[in-house]
Amino acid sequence: EWRKEQLRSLQRLYIENQKDLQEALHGDLGGGSLRSLMENFAIHHMDHIIASLDEWAADEPVTSSDPKDAAKGKWVLRKEPKGVAFLMGAWN
């Protein structure tokens, strides 16, 4: 639930400051308003991301081909965040 609230906050921040962000992007990189909308397309898919988050982060059962392993208990693949990544690259 914490992640979903963070995503909702990011979405709200973008929507509330969209005009300022467009002006900053135009000032830094040039181009029209369409460019800023295209470069920030992910924010418009945030509802889908929030709705899918539980499914994407759910534990996945792991099966073993060795019958002896069945007695050891239930195995799951648990997806846990390890930190934050910042990706930066040139697109020109």
Side-chain angles (χ1 to χ4, degrees):
E1 201 54 41
W2 180 83
R3 285 189 197 128
K4 289 181 184 181
E5 189 53 42
Q6 294 297 311
L7 292 171
R8 286 185 195 102
S9 295
L10 178 63
Q11 186 179 33
R12 256 190 328 275
L13 176 72
Y14 178 79
I15 291 169
E16 291 170 1
N17 297 289
Q18 189 170 6
K19 185 73 173 164
D20 293 334
L21 291 168
Q22 286 176 349
E23 289 172 6
L25 196 61
H26 177 70
D28 288 348
L29 303 175
S33 60
L34 181 61
R35 178 180 182 162
S36 64
L37 293 174
M38 294 302 292
E39 289 183 356
N40 294 305
F41 73 94
I43 206 74
H44 301 291
H45 298 285
M46 197 65 71
D47 292 329
H48 170 68
I49 293 168
I50 292 168
S52 302
L53 192 60
D54 288 334
E55 178 186 341
W56 295 341
D59 289 349
E60 293 181 29
V62 177
T63 58
S64 173
S65 59
D66 187 351
K68 293 182 229 168
D69 290 335
K72 295 179 183 174
K74 179 180 170 184
W75 297 0
V76 294
L77 177 64
R78 180 161 294 143
K79 301 166 188 166
E80 295 179 355
K82 302 293 185 222
V84 177
F86 175 67
L87 303 177
M88 184 171 144
W91 295 94
N92 52 2

